[in-house]
Every structure is written in structure tokens, then in C-alpha cells.
Amino acid sequence: MMLHSKSTEHIHHHDHLPSPGARAASAAAVVWTLAWKGASLWRAAKNDSKPWFAVLLVSNTLGVLDAVYLFGIDRARRRRERAAAVLSAAVGQPSQPCHSLEM
């Protein structure tokens, strides 16, 4: 014969649902990740950077790798392009067409 304790008799199905705070934190993490992923994928596609696009597409690092691409890889590429344009202008060579509205 099996005895049930009173504490286990009143288990409700909804006890397995996450708390409202946990649901809010999960929703915030999803929004945060999608924002970073969207920005990094957009920039990688715009830069015709297929390897980075593929890596960013399949990775899920809560935006960390996406931020590395945006603030590291892409920013360094932009600085090199600006420096080359300044140098070309200084020596009187026509500059290469670039996106002047980029950040």
C-alpha cells in the first residue's frame, strides 16, 4: 500500500510553468538577441561578407558574437576604408565609391 503525503497531493499542472519574471527575462533575451542578430546580419550582407553572414546566422550567443562583428570586425573595415579615402584625397587620386551614410 502506498501512502501519499499531503504536500504532493495538491500539485497543480500550472506549477510547472515558469514564473512571470522568468517569462519576462526570456522574452527580453529573445528581443535582445534578435536586435543584435538583425543588425549584424544586415551589415554582413551589405558588406558582402559571406563567411561572417553564415557564422552569425547559425550562432546563438545572445548577441555577443554579433556585437564583436559590428564593433570589431566591421568598425575596423570602415576605419581602413576612411583612411584609404583620406590618403587618396591627399595625393589627388579619385576616391573609390563608398557608402557615405554608413555609421
Side-chain angles (χ1 to χ4, degrees):
M1 181 154 109
M2 234 175 144
L3 297 175
H4 294 285
S5 72
K6 291 228 179 228
S7 64
T8 59
E9 287 179 8
H10 294 94
I11 294 178
H12 298 286
H13 178 68
H14 72 298
D15 287 342
H16 298 295
L17 296 176
S19 70
R23 287 191 304 243
S26 294
V30 168
V31 170
W32 174 265
T33 300
L34 288 176
W36 282 106
K37 188 153 299 291
S40 65
L41 287 172
W42 178 270
R43 191 69 56 83
K46 192 174 180 180
N47 293 339
D48 197 31
S49 182
K50 292 174 186 171
W52 269 105
F53 186 91
V55 168
L56 293 167
L57 182 65
V58 299
S59 70
N60 189 12
T61 59
L62 290 176
V64 173
L65 187 59
D66 305 281
V68 166
Y69 177 76
L70 289 170
F71 293 112
I73 307 300
D74 185 57
R75 185 171 280 173
R77 181 195 60 81
R78 288 172 183 250
R79 283 186 184 138
R80 286 190 306 272
E81 286 178 356
R82 284 188 203 117
V86 167
L87 183 61
S88 294
V91 295
Q93 294 178 349
S95 63
Q96 297 293 324
C98 64
H99 300 282
S100 59
L101 296 177
E102 293 182 34
M103 296 169 46

